[in-house]
Short mmCIF file of all heavy atoms in Angstrom, two decimals:
data_model
loop_
_atom_site.label_atom_id
_atom_site.label_comp_id
_atom_site.label_asym_id
_atom_site.label_seq_id
_atom_site.Cartn_x
_atom_site.Cartn_y
_atom_site.Cartn_z
N SER H 100 -1.14 -9.00 4.13
CA SER H 100 0.21 -9.42 3.81
C SER H 100 0.50 -10.70 4.58
O SER H 100 -0.10 -10.97 5.61
CB SER H 100 1.25 -8.36 4.22
OG SER H 100 0.97 -7.11 3.64
N ARG H 101 1.43 -11.48 4.05
CA ARG H 101 1.92 -12.63 4.81
C ARG H 101 3.41 -12.76 4.60
O ARG H 101 3.87 -12.86 3.45
CB ARG H 101 1.21 -13.93 4.41
CG ARG H 101 1.68 -15.10 5.28
CD ARG H 101 0.86 -16.33 5.11
NE ARG H 101 1.31 -17.38 6.04
CZ ARG H 101 0.81 -18.60 6.11
NH1 ARG H 101 -0.18 -18.95 5.31
NH2 ARG H 101 1.27 -19.47 6.99
N GLY H 102 4.15 -12.75 5.69
CA GLY H 102 5.60 -12.78 5.62
C GLY H 102 6.09 -11.55 4.86
O GLY H 102 5.71 -10.42 5.16
N THR H 103 6.92 -11.79 3.85
CA THR H 103 7.44 -10.68 3.06
C THR H 103 6.67 -10.48 1.75
O THR H 103 7.14 -9.81 0.84
CB THR H 103 8.93 -10.89 2.75
OG1 THR H 103 9.11 -12.18 2.15
CG2 THR H 103 9.76 -10.80 4.03
N ARG H 104 5.53 -11.09 1.66
CA ARG H 104 4.65 -10.88 0.51
C ARG H 104 3.67 -9.78 0.91
O ARG H 104 2.59 -10.04 1.44
CB ARG H 104 3.94 -12.17 0.16
CG ARG H 104 3.21 -12.16 -1.17
CD ARG H 104 2.53 -13.50 -1.38
NE ARG H 104 1.67 -13.51 -2.54
CZ ARG H 104 1.99 -14.06 -3.69
NH1 ARG H 104 3.16 -14.65 -3.85
NH2 ARG H 104 1.14 -14.05 -4.70
N GLU H 105 4.05 -8.55 0.62
CA GLU H 105 3.33 -7.40 1.14
C GLU H 105 2.17 -6.98 0.24
O GLU H 105 2.31 -6.85 -0.97
CB GLU H 105 4.29 -6.20 1.28
CG GLU H 105 5.39 -6.42 2.30
CD GLU H 105 4.93 -6.23 3.73
OE1 GLU H 105 3.74 -5.93 3.95
OE2 GLU H 105 5.76 -6.36 4.63
N PHE H 106 1.02 -6.75 0.87
CA PHE H 106 -0.15 -6.15 0.21
C PHE H 106 -0.56 -6.95 -1.03
O PHE H 106 -0.70 -6.38 -2.13
CB PHE H 106 0.12 -4.70 -0.17
CG PHE H 106 0.77 -3.88 0.91
CD1 PHE H 106 1.70 -2.91 0.60
CD2 PHE H 106 0.49 -4.11 2.25
CE1 PHE H 106 2.31 -2.15 1.59
CE2 PHE H 106 1.10 -3.36 3.26
CZ PHE H 106 2.02 -2.39 2.91
N ASP H 107 -0.74 -8.25 -0.84
CA ASP H 107 -1.15 -9.07 -1.98
C ASP H 107 -2.65 -9.04 -2.21
O ASP H 107 -3.12 -9.41 -3.29
CB ASP H 107 -0.63 -10.50 -1.84
CG ASP H 107 -0.95 -11.15 -0.51
OD1 ASP H 107 -1.56 -10.46 0.35
OD2 ASP H 107 -0.60 -12.32 -0.32
N TYR H 108 -3.40 -8.61 -1.20
CA TYR H 108 -4.83 -8.42 -1.34
C TYR H 108 -5.23 -7.09 -0.72
O TYR H 108 -4.77 -6.76 0.38
CB TYR H 108 -5.61 -9.56 -0.66
CG TYR H 108 -5.37 -10.91 -1.28
CD1 TYR H 108 -4.37 -11.75 -0.81
CD2 TYR H 108 -6.15 -11.36 -2.35
CE1 TYR H 108 -4.14 -13.00 -1.38
CE2 TYR H 108 -5.94 -12.61 -2.92
CZ TYR H 108 -4.93 -13.40 -2.44
OH TYR H 108 -4.70 -14.63 -3.02
N TRP H 109 -6.10 -6.36 -1.43
CA TRP H 109 -6.56 -5.05 -0.98
C TRP H 109 -8.08 -5.01 -0.93
O TRP H 109 -8.76 -5.68 -1.71
CB TRP H 109 -6.10 -3.97 -1.96
CG TRP H 109 -4.63 -3.74 -2.08
CD1 TRP H 109 -3.69 -4.63 -2.55
CD2 TRP H 109 -3.93 -2.56 -1.75
NE1 TRP H 109 -2.44 -4.06 -2.53
CE2 TRP H 109 -2.56 -2.78 -2.05
CE3 TRP H 109 -4.30 -1.31 -1.23
CZ2 TRP H 109 -1.57 -1.81 -1.84
CZ3 TRP H 109 -3.32 -0.34 -1.04
CH2 TRP H 109 -1.98 -0.60 -1.34
N GLY H 110 -8.59 -4.17 -0.02
CA GLY H 110 -10.00 -3.84 -0.09
C GLY H 110 -10.23 -2.85 -1.22
O GLY H 110 -9.28 -2.37 -1.85
N GLN H 111 -11.48 -2.52 -1.46
CA GLN H 111 -11.80 -1.60 -2.56
C GLN H 111 -11.59 -0.14 -2.16
O GLN H 111 -11.57 0.75 -3.02
CB GLN H 111 -13.24 -1.81 -3.04
CG GLN H 111 -14.31 -1.08 -2.23
CD GLN H 111 -14.62 -1.76 -0.91
OE1 GLN H 111 -14.05 -2.80 -0.56
NE2 GLN H 111 -15.54 -1.18 -0.15
N GLY H 112 -11.41 0.10 -0.85
CA GLY H 112 -11.18 1.45 -0.36
C GLY H 112 -12.47 2.16 0.00
O GLY H 112 -13.54 1.87 -0.55
N THR H 113 -12.38 3.09 0.95
CA THR H 113 -13.52 3.90 1.33
C THR H 113 -13.06 5.36 1.40
O THR H 113 -12.05 5.68 2.03
CB THR H 113 -14.13 3.44 2.67
OG1 THR H 113 -15.32 4.18 2.93
CG2 THR H 113 -13.17 3.62 3.84
N LEU H 114 -13.81 6.23 0.74
CA LEU H 114 -13.46 7.66 0.69
C LEU H 114 -14.01 8.36 1.93
O LEU H 114 -15.21 8.28 2.21
CB LEU H 114 -14.01 8.31 -0.58
CG LEU H 114 -13.82 9.83 -0.70
CD1 LEU H 114 -12.34 10.20 -0.72
CD2 LEU H 114 -14.53 10.36 -1.94
N VAL H 115 -13.13 9.05 2.63
CA VAL H 115 -13.51 9.83 3.80
C VAL H 115 -13.19 11.30 3.52
O VAL H 115 -12.05 11.64 3.20
CB VAL H 115 -12.77 9.36 5.06
CG1 VAL H 115 -13.14 10.24 6.25
CG2 VAL H 115 -13.07 7.90 5.35
N THR H 116 -14.19 12.14 3.65
CA THR H 116 -14.01 13.58 3.46
C THR H 116 -14.12 14.28 4.81
O THR H 116 -15.09 14.04 5.54
CB THR H 116 -15.06 14.14 2.49
OG1 THR H 116 -14.93 13.47 1.22
CG2 THR H 116 -14.87 15.63 2.28
N VAL H 117 -13.14 15.10 5.11
CA VAL H 117 -13.16 15.87 6.36
C VAL H 117 -13.51 17.32 6.01
O VAL H 117 -12.73 18.02 5.38
CB VAL H 117 -11.81 15.80 7.09
CG1 VAL H 117 -11.89 16.59 8.41
CG2 VAL H 117 -11.42 14.36 7.35
N SER H 118 -14.69 17.72 6.40
CA SER H 118 -15.16 19.06 6.06
C SER H 118 -16.23 19.49 7.04
O SER H 118 -17.03 18.68 7.51
CB SER H 118 -15.73 19.06 4.63
OG SER H 118 -16.30 20.32 4.32
N ALA H 119 -16.23 20.80 7.30
CA ALA H 119 -17.26 21.35 8.18
C ALA H 119 -18.60 21.47 7.44
O ALA H 119 -19.63 21.69 8.05
CB ALA H 119 -16.82 22.71 8.69
#
Side-chain angles (χ1 to χ4, degrees):
Chain H
S100 304
R101 183 170 184 182
T103 54
R104 192 181 172 103
E105 296 281 0
F106 315 144
D107 51 358
Y108 296 92
W109 295 64
Q111 83 283 0
T113 186
L114 175 62
V115 178
T116 300
V117 181
S118 175

